[in-house]
Amino acid sequence: MSETATAIDVRTMFKQLGIGEINHGTSTGRQTSGEGELISSFSPVDGQLIGKVTTTTPAEYEQVIATAQNAYTTWRNMPAPKRGEIVRQFGNQLRELKEPLGMLVSYEMGKSYQEGLGEVQEMIDICDFAVGLSRQLYGLTMHSERPGHRMYEQYHPLGVVGIISAFNFPVAVWSWNSALAWVCGDTCIWKASEKAPLCSVACQNIFRKVLEDNDLPEGISCIVNGDYKVGEMMTTDERVPLISATGSTRMGRIVGATVAQRFGKSLLELGGNNAIIVTPNADLKMTTIGAVFGAVGTCGQRCTSTRRLIIHESIYNQVKDQLLSAYGQLRIGNPLDQNNHIGPLIDTDAVNTYLKAIEAVKEQGGSFIVEGGVLEGEGYESGCYVKPCIAEVKNEFAIVQAETFAPILYLIKYTDLDEAIAMQNGVKQGLSSAIMTTNMREAEQFLSCGGSDCGIANVNIGTSGAEIGGAFGGEKETGGGRESGSDAWKVYMRRQTNTINYSHDLPLAQGIKFDF
């Protein structure tokens, strides 16, 4: 794809998503001039300025909260299936705008266009899931010990939900939260990453049109812009009962402690240090595909990216040779060109982190079988394109114990499966894990209570690429949160136990006598 063709496509994309060449305001994503400082969004693809948004000021934040609270009083009283109908319409809008929104994700964040389309498809999928869920917000009935009594539980919406998302999935993670929160009766305030703010503006434009078409208040969905200071406005705000935050473990420690101090709820999706165990019984073709996509997809900037490949010593050299062959075929370049596998890192700060990690590997005794480095020359002018690399290391290296958001894959040798599982679990993060084996006993051992300690454990697929039907999240320093499918909807609601006495007496529980 030529530079000229890319520029034309980007302009068309902006028009389709309602993004003009002016500043973008705060609450609803409308194109207005706010009072805060400007945030400039530069594409890592070509280094070009995409657009600017205004940082939300404290006064503007108060307006956003008031808008969301006012909308909540209307939204919570709307029957859940009717709320689901609004989400259904939003999903249909996403279907119509899948290509331009996927292109914006690719251009602003740097992931491949195919991955950008996949991210929008996740949004569509969670909308479908939420529509069905809107008719299944179930409670339980229980038998009372007292005659003439009935007990049951029900769920009510929480109120205003605050969503803090990261740059690597600039639209999907927001939709995981918002689609479920909406059908549960909550309104949402979204602070997107300051590294990809225009994606939030585009999503807000799309949903706002659905609200307008249905004569519903705009405060059902709001956005705020800015850095951690804007996030602090939400995390310290008692009017926001739930904060869902995706990002680094360092960020999660701050958010979790702050929200807990005011007895709020937090849903944390934090770091990952994910491993694939490769046993002698593995299908090596499947292993190579899963490992390579897991390691280089989104240029290694997924929380589920494969960081460690723990390989049995008997097949270690065979797996290494296949990886060397696969890495030799990878194409790095403009992610809007579908011939390329890998786009850039998000910015030059990420490049510096990548380079420091490479030096740390060498200093700690590792060696590279595929060398890394920054790409230069035509097509790489942004300075954000790097080479995916592979290093032979030991699991206990400090750099291996840390999460590095970059395409660096660590190879580690093991002798028996117990040792491999101990290595897999021997990090502070606990998000995603996988084993490659055709042996049922090995697979079941990996999935048992003494196996993987991660929130996600896969057999014969990689660590990256979760479906929305299952709850997504992890343990340990990953934060313990669960988003997306299964019964993750319960975090967006408050549980209430009800007891109804339809008798003519008032017997007390536990047979207590209280006569007078």
Side-chain angles (χ1 to χ4, degrees):
M1 179 180 292
S2 69
E3 183 178 346
T4 302
T6 301
I8 292 172
D9 287 341
V10 168
R11 286 197 297 270
T12 303
M13 165 191 73
F14 281 179
K15 183 177 180 181
Q16 290 174 303
L17 298 175
I19 301 176
E21 296 179 358
I22 56 177
N23 301 337
H24 296 274
T26 300
S27 174
T28 65
R30 297 182 188 277
Q31 296 168 0
T32 58
S33 295
E35 297 179 0
E37 297 179 356
L38 290 176
I39 299 175
S40 297
S41 177
F42 292 92
S43 171
V45 174
D46 54 19
Q48 296 299 308
L49 175 66
I50 307 176
K52 299 180 181 181
V53 299
T54 54
T55 301
T56 302
T57 66
E60 290 170 336
Y61 175 78
E62 289 298 321
Q63 294 174 358
V64 172
I65 281 289
T67 302
Q69 286 182 311
N70 290 337
Y72 174 60
T73 59
T74 299
W75 186 241
R76 69 183 178 186
N77 290 320
M78 194 171 179
K82 297 295 184 182
R83 297 194 295 257
E85 167 60 18
I86 301 304
V87 175
R88 186 192 68 80
Q89 293 179 33
F90 179 50
N92 286 342
Q93 286 294 302
L94 292 172
R95 285 179 170 87
E96 293 183 13
L97 296 169
K98 180 177 177 178
E99 291 187 3
L101 184 56
M103 182 179 289
L104 177 60
V105 169
S106 176
Y107 188 58
E108 188 171 33
M109 185 269 149
K111 64 176 59 177
S112 73
Y113 179 49
Q114 280 298 311
E115 290 183 80
L117 293 175
E119 187 166 346
V120 181
Q121 186 61 49
E122 281 193 69
M123 301 177 75
I124 295 168
D125 292 344
I126 196 64
C127 285
D128 287 350
F129 182 90
V131 172
L133 178 65
S134 69
R135 295 180 181 271
Q136 301 178 69
L137 299 175
Y138 55 83
L140 299 174
T141 60
M142 290 79 73
H143 289 279
S144 173
E145 66 186 51
R146 291 167 284 186
H149 286 61
R150 180 168 68 89
M151 295 177 62
Y152 72 98
E153 67 179 22
Q154 61 179 334
Y155 288 83
H156 296 296
L158 288 173
V160 179
V161 170
I163 303 168
I164 300 173
S165 64
F167 72 86
N168 58 334
F169 280 85
V171 296
V173 171
W174 165 72
S175 71
W176 290 359
N177 286 274
S178 59
L180 298 192
W182 286 332
V183 297
C184 289
D186 302 311
T187 58
C188 298
I189 300 176
W190 177 21
K191 193 203 88 64
S193 170
E194 61 271 29
K195 296 183 179 183
L198 292 181
C199 284
S200 68
V201 173
C203 291
Q204 184 67 19
N205 285 343
I206 297 169
F207 191 67
R208 190 184 70 237
K209 183 179 184 302
V210 174
L211 295 177
E212 289 175 348
D213 290 346
N214 289 273
D215 196 28
L216 288 168
E218 62 185 10
I220 293 169
S221 177
C222 300
I223 60 175
V224 290
N225 305 314
D227 59 14
Y228 72 94
K229 295 178 183 177
V230 176
E232 285 179 350
M233 296 181 195
M234 285 199 297
T235 59
T236 58
D237 192 341
E238 294 182 354
R239 296 167 295 182
V240 184
L242 171 66
I243 296 291
S244 175
T246 304
S248 68
T249 297
R250 180 191 61 80
M251 179 273 287
R253 291 187 194 279
I254 298 170
V255 171
T258 302
V259 176
Q261 192 170 18
R262 61 176 176 85
F263 296 107
K265 293 184 177 182
S266 59
L267 191 168
L268 301 176
E269 296 288 357
L270 310 175
N273 194 349
N274 316 294
I276 299 176
I277 296 173
V278 186
T279 81
N281 297 296
D283 181 319
L284 295 190
K285 181 179 179 181
M286 290 170 56
T287 297
T288 303
I289 295 171
V292 173
F293 176 73
V296 307
T298 320
C299 203
Q301 297 172 111
R302 292 186 176 210
C303 53
T304 55
S305 289
T306 304
R307 310 289 176 201
R308 299 173 294 146
L309 209 57
I310 303 172
I311 311 166
H312 192 270
E313 59 186 3
S314 66
I315 56 169
Y316 184 86
N317 289 331
Q318 190 177 355
V319 172
K320 183 166 70 171
D321 289 343
Q322 292 200 15
L323 289 172
L324 289 171
S325 175
Y327 269 57
Q329 300 174 58
L330 294 175
R331 293 183 294 275
I332 308 166
N334 188 324
L336 295 176
D337 183 343
Q338 297 190 63
N339 292 313
N340 293 323
H341 298 103
I342 308 165
L345 290 172
I346 185 64
D347 55 25
T348 54
D349 287 341
V351 173
N352 291 332
T353 298
Y354 158 85
L355 293 173
K356 289 177 181 177
I358 289 175
E359 290 304 311
V361 170
K362 295 176 181 177
E363 291 171 1
Q364 293 168 27
S367 60
F368 282 88
I369 61 172
V370 176
E371 294 287 343
V374 181
L375 294 169
E376 299 176 345
E378 185 177 356
Y380 305 128
E381 290 85 357
S382 70
C384 297
Y385 292 87
V386 301
K387 300 175 185 177
C389 52
I390 304 176
E392 295 180 294
V393 300
K394 293 183 178 180
N395 199 59
E396 60 266 26
F397 286 0
I399 188 61
V400 177
Q401 292 286 310
E403 179 189 41
T404 302
F405 241 43
I408 305 174
L409 178 63
Y410 301 125
L411 304 190
I412 304 166
K413 193 180 295 186
Y414 80 91
T415 303
D416 62 71
L417 187 55
D418 287 336
E419 177 192 13
I421 292 174
M423 287 182 182
Q424 138 70 38
N425 295 342
V427 294
K428 293 183 178 180
Q429 308 84 358
L431 179 53
S432 187
S433 59
I435 189 170
M436 293 293 185
T437 181
T438 56
N439 182 293
M440 181 186 72
R441 290 177 175 172
E442 291 177 337
E444 291 297 332
Q445 181 179 346
F446 179 73
L447 298 176
S448 72
C449 61
S452 170
D453 64 0
C454 294
I456 299 170
N458 299 326
V459 177
N460 292 328
I461 62 171
T463 62
S464 188
E467 299 179 30
I468 61 92
F472 180 91
E475 301 301 320
K476 301 188 292 189
E477 288 193 356
T478 302
R482 292 297 185 275
E483 295 173 317
S484 189
S486 185
D487 64 349
W489 60 271
K490 291 181 179 180
V491 76
Y492 305 97
M493 306 194 82
R494 58 181 176 88
R495 186 196 305 247
Q496 184 181 80
T497 301
N498 308 110
T499 304
I500 300 172
N501 179 3
Y502 58 91
S503 73
H504 296 285
D505 301 310
L506 188 60
L508 300 179
Q510 293 82 48
I512 294 173
K513 300 297 182 181
F514 191 70
D515 298 325
F516 58 88

